[in-house]
Amino acid sequence: MAELDEIIHQPLRLRIMAALNALPVSAGLEFARLKKLTGATDGNLGAHIETLARAGYVAVDKAFVGKKPQTTVTATAAGRGAFARHVATLQEIIAGKQQ
Amino acid sequence: MIDSQQASAALNDINDVVQRVRQSRIYQNASLIIIMWGALVFVGYIANHTWPPQGYTIWAVVDLIGIAGSIAIAAFSGVGPGAGAFAIRLLMAFLLFIAFGIFCSVVLGHYGPRQMLVFWPLFTMLFYALAGLWFGYAFIVIALCSSALIVTAYFYAGPALLLWMAVVHGGALVLGGLWMRRI
């Protein structure tokens, strides 16, 4: 029986992974855009990205564009796989295969 | 473990975010095309004002550059699988759009230079407004604001129509594209 991924299951982390997973492989989202798309605040977005990065689900790339620092977050292959399994588990629960 | 209602809510949340990401990517790619057209038509109006007898040549060059640029942006801006097919559909849409515009303005309407100057931008804005029904309200806002400015120019700009159009049509597209990138 498949288990829900506790790291992804938290609502904001689920939204972050959903947003990153909707992009083509290796494409990322800039921090400010990810914040807007997920409805997060600066503080909690940073903390949750760190949790996902520690789990190996996202890669964080910090660079300077001109003089401005820019943080880009990308879903890793492991993150995409974990997200797909998590969604499959949610669908199984809805279908009544799990209680 | 969670129940089916909570699982359903989580999936709805995922779908909501996926829709937002798709919308955002459409806006990001389309805004590049809109800003490019804004800059091109700005240059076109100024060039047409400076060399009036060359009007048709100037606009043919502007249109060719714009169409080629739009297709290049659509093909290479990372729209993912299907980008090539999307670019071909975009080219076909442009060709149908231009053919219908020429048929209306030259064959049916016999428009003069002043009418031609506002017909094409207004016709383009109709295209934007229709696109907005599928791809997001920002296209409709840009279309309505630009159309209002263009119609105002037609009635009130007098001999300065080309310069007014450079500012209101080119400017509205550039500003609209920049605004689209922020939403």
Side-chain angles (χ1 to χ4, degrees), chain A residues 35-53:
Chain A
K35 191 175 84 169
K36 194 171 272 184
L37 290 168
T38 56
T41 61
D42 274 342
N44 65 5
L45 183 60
H48 287 299
I49 286 173
E50 209 174 300
T51 305
L52 290 166

Side-chain angles (χ1 to χ4, degrees), chain B residues 22-66:
Chain B
R22 283 192 187 141
Q23 177 86 88
S24 166
R25 297 191 71 225
I26 288 170
Y27 280 171
Q28 291 294 306
N29 294 334
S31 64
L32 289 177
I33 295 175
I34 291 171
I35 291 168
M36 178 200 68
W37 275 105
L40 279 173
V41 299
F42 180 85
V43 172
Y45 287 121
I46 299 294
N48 196 353
H49 179 78
T50 311
W51 300 287
Q54 306 300 323
Y56 282 108
T57 310
I58 289 165
W59 287 109
V61 171
V62 165
D63 288 344
L64 280 176
I65 296 172

Side-chain angles (χ1 to χ4, degrees), chain B residues 45-134:
Chain B
Y45 287 121
I46 299 294
N48 196 353
H49 179 78
T50 311
W51 300 287
Q54 306 300 323
Y56 282 108
T57 310
I58 289 165
W59 287 109
V61 171
V62 165
D63 288 344
L64 280 176
I65 296 172
I67 291 169
S70 303
I71 291 166
I73 291 170
F76 298 111
S77 57
V79 284
F86 179 75
I88 290 170
R89 280 201 301 271
L90 189 64
L91 174 63
M92 297 309 291
F94 270 125
L95 292 177
L96 287 169
F97 171 78
I98 288 170
F100 184 71
I102 290 171
F103 182 71
C104 288
S105 58
V106 179
V107 180
L108 291 180
H110 305 293
Y111 294 167
R114 195 174 176 86
Q115 286 77 29
M116 284 291 248
L117 264 182
V118 295
F119 170 74
W120 282 101
L122 285 176
F123 188 40
T124 313
M125 289 305 120
L126 171 66
F127 192 63
Y128 277 58
L130 291 174
L133 297 176
W134 279 271

Side-chain angles (χ1 to χ4, degrees), chain A residues 33, chain B residues 23-24 26-28 30-31 34 124-125 127-147 172-183:
Chain A
R33 187 148 288 275
Chain B
Q23 177 86 88
S24 166
I26 288 170
Y27 280 171
Q28 291 294 306
S31 64
I34 291 171
T124 313
M125 289 305 120
F127 192 63
Y128 277 58
L130 291 174
L133 297 176
W134 279 271
F135 301 124
Y137 71 94
F139 290 96
I140 297 174
V141 173
I142 290 172
L144 292 180
C145 293
S146 297
S147 297
L173 288 179
V174 171
L175 288 177
L178 291 172
W179 168 67
M180 197 179 243
R181 294 184 75 77
R182 296 181 64 87
I183 54 177

